[in-house]
Amino acid sequence: FGGAKVDALFDQRIKNKEKYDAKVAFNEFDLGKLIKNDSIGKITLNAKVKGTGLDPKTANAQLKAIVNKATYNKYTYKDLSLDGKIANGLYDIKSNMDDPNLTFKLLANGGFEDKYPAVKLDLNLDIADLEKLNLHAGPMKLRGNVDADITNSNPDFLNGTVFLSNVQILQDKEPIVLDSIKVVAFADAEKNNIQINSQFLKAEMDGKYKLTTLSSSLKKSLSKYIDLQSPTDKANNDKQQVTLNVTVKNDPVLFQLVPKLTGLEPINLTANYSNVTDSLQMKGSIPRIVYAGNTISGATINVENKENALDYNISVATVENGDFKLPKTVLSGKVENNIVDYALQINDLSDKEKYYLAGQLEHKTDQNTFKIDAEKVILNYENWTVNPQNSIEFGNAGLYIN
C-alpha cells in the first residue's frame, strides 16, 4: 500500500468531551487500493489534528495539513495546504493550492449554531484547467472570484448572497469574460425569494415554497392528468405557491458560450404553480432565435389547467433554414385521464390549411397507444382516408402497428 505512519491518542470516556491528538504521514500511500476505488490513487501528506469534542456545535479543535500530492481521476494534484480551527460552533478555514493546473486561495468561516451551517466564503480561482484535470473533454480553463455570505443554508429557508466576478472561460483563443453573476436568496415565515442576475440571464422565483419537495409536489399535481408513477408521500402536506419569471437576453457573451447560436431576441418565460389552489400555468415567448442555421420566429407556449384537464398550445410563426420554410405551425390539445389529445396544424403563407393531424396518445403503466383521428387527415392540402381502428402500441411487450 505504501508508507503510512500514524501517531494518535483518542479518549472517548466523556461524551461530547472526547479528546484526540493525532499526527498522520502518508508517503505514496495507495488509498484507492485500500478502499477499492479506482478513481483514487496514491497520496502523500502530513497532517495533525488536536482537540476536544466531536459535535461541531461544541467542539474545539485545530487541523493543519499539507497534501504534497494526491491522485484522483488519473491526475496527480500537488501542493494543497489546509489550516482550520473550530471553537464552540464557529469555524475558520484557510486553504490554497499551487498546482500548475489548479491554483486557488480560499478563506471561509461560519458557524454550526443551527442545523444548517452558515458560511462566509472568499475564493480566488487563478486557474482551473479542466481538460488537464480530466474533468472535461476538450480545452476548457476557468478563473474568477466567488464571494458568498450564506446566513442560513437550509434549502427550504435559504438566506444569503453569492457573487461571481471576473469570471473567464477559455476554450479557444479568445477568453469569454462575464461581467458578474449574482444570486440572492431570502426567506422568512411568509415568503421565499431567489433571484439570479447576469448580463444574459435574469430569473426570479417568488412565493412560499420548499425547494426540497417542490419537484415531488409538482409531480403529484401532474399525476392528476397523467400517471407519472407514485410520487413520494413526503410532499403531501407541503404547501407550494410559486411564481417563476425568466428572461434570456441577447448579450454577445451568450453567443460566445453557445457558438451555434447566432441570433436571438429576448426570450421570456412565466410560470405559476400552487397546490393550495390547484393551479398550474406557464406562458413563454420566443420572438426569434437562430441556431445552427435554423430560424424560429414568433413562437409561443401556453399551458394551463382547466377543470380536470391540462390544456396546452404551442405555436410557431415560421421555422426555416436554407432548404425549407415552414409557416404557421400550431400544436394544441389537452392531457386528461392518462390520455394526451393532440392536433397538429400547419398553414401556408396564405393561411390555407396544408397539413392537419389529430388524435390521442394513451398512457398506461406497461403500454402506450398512439392513434390518429380518422375524421380529418390533411397531407399537402389533400384529404386522406385513415382506418378508424388504426393504432401504434409500444411498451414493455414490444411494438405493434395496426
Side-chain angles (χ1 to χ4, degrees), residues 307-354:
E307 297 179 351
N308 296 318
L310 188 66
D311 291 359
Y312 66 92
N313 184 291
I314 302 169
S315 66
V316 181
T318 58
V319 179
E320 60 183 312
N321 62 21
D323 299 322
F324 72 90
K325 184 174 184 178
L326 193 66
K328 300 181 181 178
T329 303
V330 178
L331 176 64
S332 61
K334 66 178 181 179
V335 184
E336 184 178 12
N337 295 327
N338 285 328
I339 297 175
V340 180
D341 289 337
Y342 68 90
L344 176 64
Q345 181 179 9
I346 302 175
N347 291 1
D348 62 18
L349 293 173
S350 61
D351 208 26
K352 184 178 179 181
E353 197 170 55
K354 188 174 182 179

mmCIF file of all heavy atoms in Angstrom, residues 307-354:
data_model
loop_
_atom_site.group_PDB
_atom_site.id
_atom_site.type_symbol
_atom_site.label_atom_id
_atom_site.label_comp_id
_atom_site.label_asym_id
_atom_site.label_seq_id
_atom_site.Cartn_x
_atom_site.Cartn_y
_atom_site.Cartn_z
ATOM 1 N N GLU A 307 -60.371 22.819 -15.141
ATOM 2 C CA GLU A 307 -61.186 21.743 -14.603
ATOM 3 C C GLU A 307 -60.322 20.505 -14.372
ATOM 4 O O GLU A 307 -59.388 20.539 -13.587
ATOM 5 C CB GLU A 307 -62.368 21.471 -15.542
ATOM 6 C CG GLU A 307 -63.302 22.678 -15.660
ATOM 7 C CD GLU A 307 -64.454 22.421 -16.601
ATOM 8 O OE1 GLU A 307 -64.459 21.381 -17.292
ATOM 9 O OE2 GLU A 307 -65.374 23.267 -16.651
ATOM 10 N N ASN A 308 -60.579 19.414 -15.093
ATOM 11 C CA ASN A 308 -59.838 18.176 -14.853
ATOM 12 C C ASN A 308 -58.798 17.898 -15.927
ATOM 13 O O ASN A 308 -58.303 16.770 -16.034
ATOM 14 C CB ASN A 308 -60.811 16.995 -14.771
ATOM 15 C CG ASN A 308 -61.764 17.109 -13.588
ATOM 16 O OD1 ASN A 308 -61.343 17.480 -12.490
ATOM 17 N ND2 ASN A 308 -63.023 16.804 -13.815
ATOM 18 N N ALA A 309 -58.452 18.898 -16.729
ATOM 19 C CA ALA A 309 -57.518 18.692 -17.835
ATOM 20 C C ALA A 309 -56.420 19.742 -17.804
ATOM 21 O O ALA A 309 -56.564 20.824 -17.243
ATOM 22 C CB ALA A 309 -58.262 18.740 -19.168
ATOM 23 N N LEU A 310 -55.315 19.386 -18.456
ATOM 24 C CA LEU A 310 -54.198 20.305 -18.625
ATOM 25 C C LEU A 310 -54.134 20.665 -20.102
ATOM 26 O O LEU A 310 -53.785 19.836 -20.949
ATOM 27 C CB LEU A 310 -52.895 19.639 -18.163
ATOM 28 C CG LEU A 310 -51.649 20.521 -18.095
ATOM 29 C CD1 LEU A 310 -51.810 21.585 -17.010
ATOM 30 C CD2 LEU A 310 -50.412 19.674 -17.811
ATOM 31 N N ASP A 311 -54.506 21.900 -20.422
ATOM 32 C CA ASP A 311 -54.527 22.345 -21.808
ATOM 33 C C ASP A 311 -53.160 22.877 -22.215
ATOM 34 O O ASP A 311 -52.451 23.489 -21.399
ATOM 35 C CB ASP A 311 -55.559 23.454 -22.004
ATOM 36 C CG ASP A 311 -56.988 22.956 -21.855
ATOM 37 O OD1 ASP A 311 -57.159 21.736 -21.611
ATOM 38 O OD2 ASP A 311 -57.920 23.760 -21.962
ATOM 39 N N TYR A 312 -52.802 22.667 -23.487
ATOM 40 C CA TYR A 312 -51.535 23.197 -23.991
ATOM 41 C C TYR A 312 -51.703 23.704 -25.423
ATOM 42 O O TYR A 312 -52.540 23.209 -26.184
ATOM 43 C CB TYR A 312 -50.432 22.139 -23.933
ATOM 44 C CG TYR A 312 -50.639 20.960 -24.858
ATOM 45 C CD1 TYR A 312 -50.099 20.958 -26.145
ATOM 46 C CD2 TYR A 312 -51.376 19.843 -24.449
ATOM 47 C CE1 TYR A 312 -50.290 19.880 -27.002
ATOM 48 C CE2 TYR A 312 -51.567 18.772 -25.292
ATOM 49 C CZ TYR A 312 -51.023 18.785 -26.569
ATOM 50 O OH TYR A 312 -51.227 17.724 -27.410
ATOM 51 N N ASN A 313 -50.913 24.703 -25.747
ATOM 52 C CA ASN A 313 -50.913 25.279 -27.089
ATOM 53 C C ASN A 313 -49.517 25.803 -27.390
ATOM 54 O O ASN A 313 -49.004 26.662 -26.678
ATOM 55 C CB ASN A 313 -51.945 26.407 -27.199
ATOM 56 C CG ASN A 313 -52.033 26.967 -28.607
ATOM 57 O OD1 ASN A 313 -51.112 27.628 -29.096
ATOM 58 N ND2 ASN A 313 -53.159 26.723 -29.271
ATOM 59 N N ILE A 314 -48.914 25.261 -28.429
ATOM 60 C CA ILE A 314 -47.579 25.684 -28.862
ATOM 61 C C ILE A 314 -47.690 26.141 -30.307
ATOM 62 O O ILE A 314 -48.096 25.358 -31.175
ATOM 63 C CB ILE A 314 -46.560 24.533 -28.745
ATOM 64 C CG1 ILE A 314 -46.505 24.017 -27.306
ATOM 65 C CG2 ILE A 314 -45.173 24.991 -29.202
ATOM 66 C CD1 ILE A 314 -45.728 22.721 -27.159
ATOM 67 N N SER A 315 -47.356 27.372 -30.559
ATOM 68 C CA SER A 315 -47.470 27.889 -31.923
ATOM 69 C C SER A 315 -46.160 28.534 -32.351
ATOM 70 O O SER A 315 -45.447 29.115 -31.536
ATOM 71 C CB SER A 315 -48.601 28.917 -32.021
ATOM 72 O OG SER A 315 -48.306 30.070 -31.260
ATOM 73 N N VAL A 316 -45.866 28.411 -33.646
ATOM 74 C CA VAL A 316 -44.656 28.973 -34.231
ATOM 75 C C VAL A 316 -45.047 29.674 -35.527
ATOM 76 O O VAL A 316 -45.698 29.064 -36.392
ATOM 77 C CB VAL A 316 -43.599 27.882 -34.523
ATOM 78 C CG1 VAL A 316 -42.346 28.507 -35.105
ATOM 79 C CG2 VAL A 316 -43.268 27.107 -33.253
ATOM 80 N N ALA A 317 -44.658 30.942 -35.663
ATOM 81 C CA ALA A 317 -44.989 31.685 -36.890
ATOM 82 C C ALA A 317 -44.254 31.106 -38.094
ATOM 83 O O ALA A 317 -44.864 30.821 -39.126
ATOM 84 C CB ALA A 317 -44.663 33.166 -36.719
ATOM 85 N N THR A 318 -42.929 30.917 -37.957
ATOM 86 C CA THR A 318 -42.155 30.312 -39.046
ATOM 87 C C THR A 318 -40.969 29.523 -38.494
ATOM 88 O O THR A 318 -40.382 29.883 -37.479
ATOM 89 C CB THR A 318 -41.599 31.369 -40.031
ATOM 90 O OG1 THR A 318 -40.784 32.309 -39.317
ATOM 91 C CG2 THR A 318 -42.709 32.099 -40.754
ATOM 92 N N VAL A 319 -40.644 28.441 -39.204
ATOM 93 C CA VAL A 319 -39.417 27.689 -38.993
ATOM 94 C C VAL A 319 -38.749 27.566 -40.351
ATOM 95 O O VAL A 319 -39.371 27.084 -41.314
ATOM 96 C CB VAL A 319 -39.692 26.276 -38.424
ATOM 97 C CG1 VAL A 319 -38.380 25.512 -38.248
ATOM 98 C CG2 VAL A 319 -40.434 26.369 -37.103
ATOM 99 N N GLU A 320 -37.507 28.011 -40.459
ATOM 100 C CA GLU A 320 -36.875 27.998 -41.779
ATOM 101 C C GLU A 320 -35.363 27.838 -41.661
ATOM 102 O O GLU A 320 -34.752 28.143 -40.641
ATOM 103 C CB GLU A 320 -37.198 29.282 -42.542
ATOM 104 C CG GLU A 320 -36.731 30.556 -41.865
ATOM 105 C CD GLU A 320 -37.139 31.804 -42.648
ATOM 106 O OE1 GLU A 320 -36.919 31.828 -43.870
ATOM 107 O OE2 GLU A 320 -37.675 32.733 -42.018
ATOM 108 N N ASN A 321 -34.804 27.294 -42.770
ATOM 109 C CA ASN A 321 -33.362 27.305 -42.978
ATOM 110 C C ASN A 321 -33.122 27.447 -44.482
ATOM 111 O O ASN A 321 -34.032 27.849 -45.215
ATOM 112 C CB ASN A 321 -32.680 26.061 -42.392
ATOM 113 C CG ASN A 321 -33.146 24.769 -43.039
ATOM 114 O OD1 ASN A 321 -33.663 24.770 -44.150
ATOM 115 N ND2 ASN A 321 -32.960 23.674 -42.348
ATOM 116 N N GLY A 322 -31.941 27.132 -44.946
ATOM 117 C CA GLY A 322 -31.654 27.317 -46.366
ATOM 118 C C GLY A 322 -32.428 26.397 -47.283
ATOM 119 O O GLY A 322 -32.552 26.664 -48.481
ATOM 120 N N ASP A 323 -32.993 25.291 -46.747
ATOM 121 C CA ASP A 323 -33.658 24.297 -47.583
ATOM 122 C C ASP A 323 -35.180 24.360 -47.547
ATOM 123 O O ASP A 323 -35.836 23.890 -48.478
ATOM 124 C CB ASP A 323 -33.212 22.893 -47.167
ATOM 125 C CG ASP A 323 -31.716 22.690 -47.338
ATOM 126 O OD1 ASP A 323 -31.161 23.210 -48.325
ATOM 127 O OD2 ASP A 323 -31.101 22.027 -46.466
ATOM 128 N N PHE A 324 -35.768 24.880 -46.455
ATOM 129 C CA PHE A 324 -37.222 24.890 -46.381
ATOM 130 C C PHE A 324 -37.708 26.033 -45.503
ATOM 131 O O PHE A 324 -36.948 26.623 -44.730
ATOM 132 C CB PHE A 324 -37.752 23.556 -45.838
ATOM 133 C CG PHE A 324 -37.495 23.366 -44.366
ATOM 134 C CD1 PHE A 324 -38.422 23.785 -43.417
ATOM 135 C CD2 PHE A 324 -36.318 22.770 -43.914
ATOM 136 C CE1 PHE A 324 -38.187 23.622 -42.058
ATOM 137 C CE2 PHE A 324 -36.077 22.589 -42.566
ATOM 138 C CZ PHE A 324 -37.016 23.015 -41.635
ATOM 139 N N LYS A 325 -39.020 26.298 -45.623
ATOM 140 C CA LYS A 325 -39.682 27.289 -44.771
ATOM 141 C C LYS A 325 -41.027 26.722 -44.357
ATOM 142 O O LYS A 325 -41.857 26.376 -45.210
ATOM 143 C CB LYS A 325 -39.864 28.616 -45.504
ATOM 144 C CG LYS A 325 -40.463 29.707 -44.629
ATOM 145 C CD LYS A 325 -40.487 31.048 -45.348
ATOM 146 C CE LYS A 325 -41.000 32.162 -44.428
ATOM 147 N NZ LYS A 325 -40.984 33.479 -45.122
ATOM 148 N N LEU A 326 -41.228 26.605 -43.056
ATOM 149 C CA LEU A 326 -42.447 26.025 -42.508
ATOM 150 C C LEU A 326 -43.222 27.111 -41.773
ATOM 151 O O LEU A 326 -42.838 27.530 -40.677
ATOM 152 C CB LEU A 326 -42.081 24.883 -41.553
ATOM 153 C CG LEU A 326 -43.182 23.942 -41.097
ATOM 154 C CD1 LEU A 326 -43.715 23.146 -42.270
ATOM 155 C CD2 LEU A 326 -42.647 23.006 -40.021
ATOM 156 N N PRO A 327 -44.311 27.617 -42.353
ATOM 157 C CA PRO A 327 -45.039 28.720 -41.714
ATOM 158 C C PRO A 327 -46.183 28.237 -40.831
ATOM 159 O O PRO A 327 -46.696 27.133 -40.985
ATOM 160 C CB PRO A 327 -45.582 29.496 -42.904
ATOM 161 C CG PRO A 327 -45.835 28.444 -43.934
ATOM 162 C CD PRO A 327 -44.835 27.332 -43.698
ATOM 163 N N LYS A 328 -46.568 29.040 -39.884
ATOM 164 C CA LYS A 328 -47.803 28.916 -39.114
ATOM 165 C C LYS A 328 -48.093 27.487 -38.650
ATOM 166 O O LYS A 328 -48.971 26.813 -39.174
ATOM 167 C CB LYS A 328 -48.970 29.467 -39.931
ATOM 168 C CG LYS A 328 -48.777 30.934 -40.297
ATOM 169 C CD LYS A 328 -49.931 31.485 -41.077
ATOM 170 C CE LYS A 328 -49.676 32.947 -41.436
ATOM 171 N NZ LYS A 328 -50.768 33.527 -42.240
ATOM 172 N N THR A 329 -47.332 27.053 -37.660
ATOM 173 C CA THR A 329 -47.481 25.711 -37.104
ATOM 174 C C THR A 329 -48.062 25.803 -35.699
ATOM 175 O O THR A 329 -47.583 26.590 -34.873
ATOM 176 C CB THR A 329 -46.124 24.987 -37.058
ATOM 177 O OG1 THR A 329 -45.571 24.945 -38.370
ATOM 178 C CG2 THR A 329 -46.278 23.586 -36.510
ATOM 179 N N VAL A 330 -49.094 25.006 -35.432
ATOM 180 C CA VAL A 330 -49.734 25.003 -34.104
ATOM 181 C C VAL A 330 -49.922 23.559 -33.641
ATOM 182 O O VAL A 330 -50.457 22.725 -34.375
ATOM 183 C CB VAL A 330 -51.106 25.709 -34.131
ATOM 184 C CG1 VAL A 330 -51.761 25.638 -32.752
ATOM 185 C CG2 VAL A 330 -50.962 27.159 -34.576
ATOM 186 N N LEU A 331 -49.451 23.288 -32.423
ATOM 187 C CA LEU A 331 -49.703 22.008 -31.768
ATOM 188 C C LEU A 331 -50.504 22.297 -30.509
ATOM 189 O O LEU A 331 -50.039 23.027 -29.622
ATOM 190 C CB LEU A 331 -48.392 21.310 -31.423
ATOM 191 C CG LEU A 331 -48.502 19.996 -30.642
ATOM 192 C CD1 LEU A 331 -49.224 18.936 -31.458
ATOM 193 C CD2 LEU A 331 -47.125 19.500 -30.200
ATOM 194 N N SER A 332 -51.693 21.732 -30.405
ATOM 195 C CA SER A 332 -52.553 22.024 -29.263
ATOM 196 C C SER A 332 -53.277 20.768 -28.818
ATOM 197 O O SER A 332 -53.326 19.764 -29.535
ATOM 198 C CB SER A 332 -53.577 23.114 -29.630
ATOM 199 O OG SER A 332 -54.404 22.674 -30.705
ATOM 200 N N GLY A 333 -53.841 20.851 -27.631
ATOM 201 C CA GLY A 333 -54.586 19.715 -27.108
ATOM 202 C C GLY A 333 -54.735 19.792 -25.607
ATOM 203 O O GLY A 333 -54.614 20.872 -25.008
ATOM 204 N N LYS A 334 -54.966 18.643 -24.998
ATOM 205 C CA LYS A 334 -55.117 18.591 -23.546
ATOM 206 C C LYS A 334 -54.644 17.238 -23.035
ATOM 207 O O LYS A 334 -54.537 16.257 -23.795
ATOM 208 C CB LYS A 334 -56.569 18.838 -23.142
ATOM 209 C CG LYS A 334 -57.535 17.747 -23.586
ATOM 210 C CD LYS A 334 -58.952 18.037 -23.097
ATOM 211 C CE LYS A 334 -59.907 16.912 -23.531
ATOM 212 N NZ LYS A 334 -61.298 17.161 -23.032
ATOM 213 N N VAL A 335 -54.356 17.186 -21.738
ATOM 214 C CA VAL A 335 -53.954 15.952 -21.065
ATOM 215 C C VAL A 335 -54.980 15.682 -19.972
ATOM 216 O O VAL A 335 -55.201 16.511 -19.090
ATOM 217 C CB VAL A 335 -52.547 16.080 -20.454
ATOM 218 C CG1 VAL A 335 -52.111 14.761 -19.851
ATOM 219 C CG2 VAL A 335 -51.535 16.558 -21.491
ATOM 220 N N GLU A 336 -55.622 14.506 -20.047
ATOM 221 C CA GLU A 336 -56.680 14.185 -19.086
ATOM 222 C C GLU A 336 -56.833 12.673 -19.002
ATOM 223 O O GLU A 336 -56.864 11.980 -20.027
ATOM 224 C CB GLU A 336 -57.998 14.825 -19.528
ATOM 225 C CG GLU A 336 -59.150 14.641 -18.559
ATOM 226 C CD GLU A 336 -60.423 15.340 -19.023
ATOM 227 O OE1 GLU A 336 -60.470 15.779 -20.199
ATOM 228 O OE2 GLU A 336 -61.359 15.452 -18.223
ATOM 229 N N ASN A 337 -56.923 12.161 -17.771
ATOM 230 C CA ASN A 337 -57.165 10.729 -17.545
ATOM 231 C C ASN A 337 -56.169 9.849 -18.301
ATOM 232 O O ASN A 337 -56.548 8.873 -18.970
ATOM 233 C CB ASN A 337 -58.597 10.352 -17.932
ATOM 234 C CG ASN A 337 -59.626 11.018 -17.049
ATOM 235 O OD1 ASN A 337 -59.393 11.247 -15.862
ATOM 236 N ND2 ASN A 337 -60.771 11.353 -17.627
ATOM 237 N N ASN A 338 -54.886 10.222 -18.254
ATOM 238 C CA ASN A 338 -53.820 9.447 -18.895
ATOM 239 C C ASN A 338 -53.917 9.424 -20.418
ATOM 240 O O ASN A 338 -53.359 8.541 -21.069
ATOM 241 C CB ASN A 338 -53.779 8.009 -18.373
ATOM 242 C CG ASN A 338 -53.188 7.923 -16.982
ATOM 243 O OD1 ASN A 338 -52.322 8.715 -16.624
ATOM 244 N ND2 ASN A 338 -53.662 6.984 -16.191
ATOM 245 N N ILE A 339 -54.644 10.379 -20.977
ATOM 246 C CA ILE A 339 -54.765 10.489 -22.433
ATOM 247 C C ILE A 339 -54.317 11.878 -22.868
ATOM 248 O O ILE A 339 -54.784 12.890 -22.334
ATOM 249 C CB ILE A 339 -56.214 10.240 -22.896
ATOM 250 C CG1 ILE A 339 -56.627 8.806 -22.552
ATOM 251 C CG2 ILE A 339 -56.343 10.483 -24.394
ATOM 252 C CD1 ILE A 339 -58.076 8.497 -22.871
ATOM 253 N N VAL A 340 -53.411 11.911 -23.840
ATOM 254 C CA VAL A 340 -52.950 13.165 -24.419
ATOM 255 C C VAL A 340 -53.657 13.348 -25.757
ATOM 256 O O VAL A 340 -53.411 12.604 -26.717
ATOM 257 C CB VAL A 340 -51.421 13.168 -24.627
ATOM 258 C CG1 VAL A 340 -50.970 14.489 -25.234
ATOM 259 C CG2 VAL A 340 -50.694 12.902 -23.318
ATOM 260 N N ASP A 341 -54.558 14.324 -25.813
ATOM 261 C CA ASP A 341 -55.183 14.697 -27.086
ATOM 262 C C ASP A 341 -54.263 15.678 -27.805
ATOM 263 O O ASP A 341 -53.739 16.608 -27.186
ATOM 264 C CB ASP A 341 -56.540 15.355 -26.848
ATOM 265 C CG ASP A 341 -57.584 14.369 -26.364
ATOM 266 O OD1 ASP A 341 -57.412 13.165 -26.618
ATOM 267 O OD2 ASP A 341 -58.563 14.806 -25.734
ATOM 268 N N TYR A 342 -54.095 15.485 -29.109
ATOM 269 C CA TYR A 342 -53.214 16.379 -29.863
ATOM 270 C C TYR A 342 -53.852 16.766 -31.196
ATOM 271 O O TYR A 342 -54.668 16.026 -31.764
ATOM 272 C CB TYR A 342 -51.855 15.712 -30.130
ATOM 273 C CG TYR A 342 -51.931 14.544 -31.084
ATOM 274 C CD1 TYR A 342 -51.793 14.725 -32.457
ATOM 275 C CD2 TYR A 342 -52.158 13.252 -30.604
ATOM 276 C CE1 TYR A 342 -51.883 13.653 -33.339
ATOM 277 C CE2 TYR A 342 -52.250 12.184 -31.474
ATOM 278 C CZ TYR A 342 -52.110 12.379 -32.837
ATOM 279 O OH TYR A 342 -52.214 11.325 -33.707
ATOM 280 N N ALA A 343 -53.484 17.937 -31.672
ATOM 281 C CA ALA A 343 -53.886 18.412 -33.001
ATOM 282 C C ALA A 343 -52.742 19.237 -33.559
ATOM 283 O O ALA A 343 -52.366 20.257 -32.974
ATOM 284 C CB ALA A 343 -55.167 19.237 -32.927
ATOM 285 N N LEU A 344 -52.194 18.790 -34.676
ATOM 286 C CA LEU A 344 -51.091 19.486 -35.341
ATOM 287 C C LEU A 344 -51.614 20.098 -36.624
ATOM 288 O O LEU A 344 -52.118 19.387 -37.504
ATOM 289 C CB LEU A 344 -49.953 18.509 -35.642
ATOM 290 C CG LEU A 344 -48.763 19.084 -36.434
ATOM 291 C CD1 LEU A 344 -48.056 20.173 -35.628
ATOM 292 C CD2 LEU A 344 -47.789 17.974 -36.810
ATOM 293 N N GLN A 345 -51.488 21.404 -36.737
ATOM 294 C CA GLN A 345 -51.987 22.129 -37.913
ATOM 295 C C GLN A 345 -50.884 22.998 -38.482
ATOM 296 O O GLN A 345 -50.235 23.746 -37.750
ATOM 297 C CB GLN A 345 -53.194 22.990 -37.546
ATOM 298 C CG GLN A 345 -53.785 23.755 -38.708
ATOM 299 C CD GLN A 345 -54.997 24.583 -38.284
ATOM 300 O OE1 GLN A 345 -55.283 24.717 -37.092
ATOM 301 N NE2 GLN A 345 -55.695 25.153 -39.253
ATOM 302 N N ILE A 346 -50.672 22.897 -39.787
ATOM 303 C CA ILE A 346 -49.679 23.717 -40.478
ATOM 304 C C ILE A 346 -50.370 24.407 -41.650
ATOM 305 O O ILE A 346 -50.921 23.735 -42.531
ATOM 306 C CB ILE A 346 -48.494 22.867 -40.988
ATOM 307 C CG1 ILE A 346 -47.828 22.133 -39.814
ATOM 308 C CG2 ILE A 346 -47.477 23.748 -41.709
ATOM 309 C CD1 ILE A 346 -46.731 21.169 -40.233
ATOM 310 N N ASN A 347 -50.352 25.729 -41.646
ATOM 311 C CA ASN A 347 -50.927 26.520 -42.731
ATOM 312 C C ASN A 347 -49.824 27.084 -43.613
ATOM 313 O O ASN A 347 -48.680 27.253 -43.177
ATOM 314 C CB ASN A 347 -51.775 27.665 -42.185
ATOM 315 C CG ASN A 347 -53.046 27.170 -41.511
ATOM 316 O OD1 ASN A 347 -53.290 25.963 -41.442
ATOM 317 N ND2 ASN A 347 -53.843 28.093 -41.030
ATOM 318 N N ASP A 348 -50.193 27.420 -44.862
ATOM 319 C CA ASP A 348 -49.209 28.018 -45.755
ATOM 320 C C ASP A 348 -49.187 29.535 -45.579
ATOM 321 O O ASP A 348 -49.858 30.085 -44.690
ATOM 322 C CB ASP A 348 -49.480 27.620 -47.207
ATOM 323 C CG ASP A 348 -50.839 28.109 -47.721
ATOM 324 O OD1 ASP A 348 -51.421 29.024 -47.085
ATOM 325 O OD2 ASP A 348 -51.312 27.593 -48.745
ATOM 326 N N LEU A 349 -48.429 30.202 -46.422
ATOM 327 C CA LEU A 349 -48.255 31.648 -46.264
ATOM 328 C C LEU A 349 -49.557 32.429 -46.474
ATOM 329 O O LEU A 349 -49.713 33.541 -45.975
ATOM 330 C CB LEU A 349 -47.186 32.147 -47.242
ATOM 331 C CG LEU A 349 -45.755 31.657 -46.963
ATOM 332 C CD1 LEU A 349 -44.811 32.070 -48.083
ATOM 333 C CD2 LEU A 349 -45.256 32.198 -45.633
ATOM 334 N N SER A 350 -50.505 31.821 -47.201
ATOM 335 C CA SER A 350 -51.801 32.476 -47.411
ATOM 336 C C SER A 350 -52.821 32.042 -46.361
ATOM 337 O O SER A 350 -54.015 32.303 -46.518
ATOM 338 C CB SER A 350 -52.328 32.160 -48.812
ATOM 339 O OG SER A 350 -52.525 30.762 -48.956
ATOM 340 N N ASP A 351 -52.355 31.355 -45.340
ATOM 341 C CA ASP A 351 -53.167 30.890 -44.217
ATOM 342 C C ASP A 351 -54.133 29.772 -44.615
ATOM 343 O O ASP A 351 -55.134 29.532 -43.953
ATOM 344 C CB ASP A 351 -53.947 32.044 -43.584
ATOM 345 C CG ASP A 351 -54.229 31.791 -42.109
ATOM 346 O OD1 ASP A 351 -53.453 31.035 -41.485
ATOM 347 O OD2 ASP A 351 -55.216 32.328 -41.579
ATOM 348 N N LYS A 352 -53.817 29.053 -45.680
ATOM 349 C CA LYS A 352 -54.608 27.900 -46.069
ATOM 350 C C LYS A 352 -54.040 26.661 -45.406
ATOM 351 O O LYS A 352 -52.829 26.472 -45.341
ATOM 352 C CB LYS A 352 -54.584 27.740 -47.592
ATOM 353 C CG LYS A 352 -55.472 26.603 -48.103
ATOM 354 C CD LYS A 352 -55.447 26.522 -49.615
ATOM 355 C CE LYS A 352 -56.324 25.371 -50.114
ATOM 356 N NZ LYS A 352 -56.309 25.255 -51.585
ATOM 357 N N GLU A 353 -54.937 25.809 -44.946
ATOM 358 C CA GLU A 353 -54.522 24.612 -44.219
ATOM 359 C C GLU A 353 -53.803 23.636 -45.159
ATOM 360 O O GLU A 353 -54.368 23.156 -46.144
ATOM 361 C CB GLU A 353 -55.752 23.942 -43.601
ATOM 362 C CG GLU A 353 -55.428 22.940 -42.514
ATOM 363 C CD GLU A 353 -56.683 22.501 -41.775
ATOM 364 O OE1 GLU A 353 -57.630 22.022 -42.448
ATOM 365 O OE2 GLU A 353 -56.737 22.646 -40.552
ATOM 366 N N LYS A 354 -52.540 23.323 -44.840
ATOM 367 C CA LYS A 354 -51.725 22.442 -45.678
ATOM 368 C C LYS A 354 -51.581 21.056 -45.052
ATOM 369 O O LYS A 354 -51.589 20.045 -45.767
ATOM 370 C CB LYS A 354 -50.349 23.066 -45.902
ATOM 371 C CG LYS A 354 -49.489 22.321 -46.904
ATOM 372 C CD LYS A 354 -48.187 23.067 -47.184
ATOM 373 C CE LYS A 354 -47.351 22.338 -48.228
ATOM 374 N NZ LYS A 354 -46.081 23.066 -48.523
#
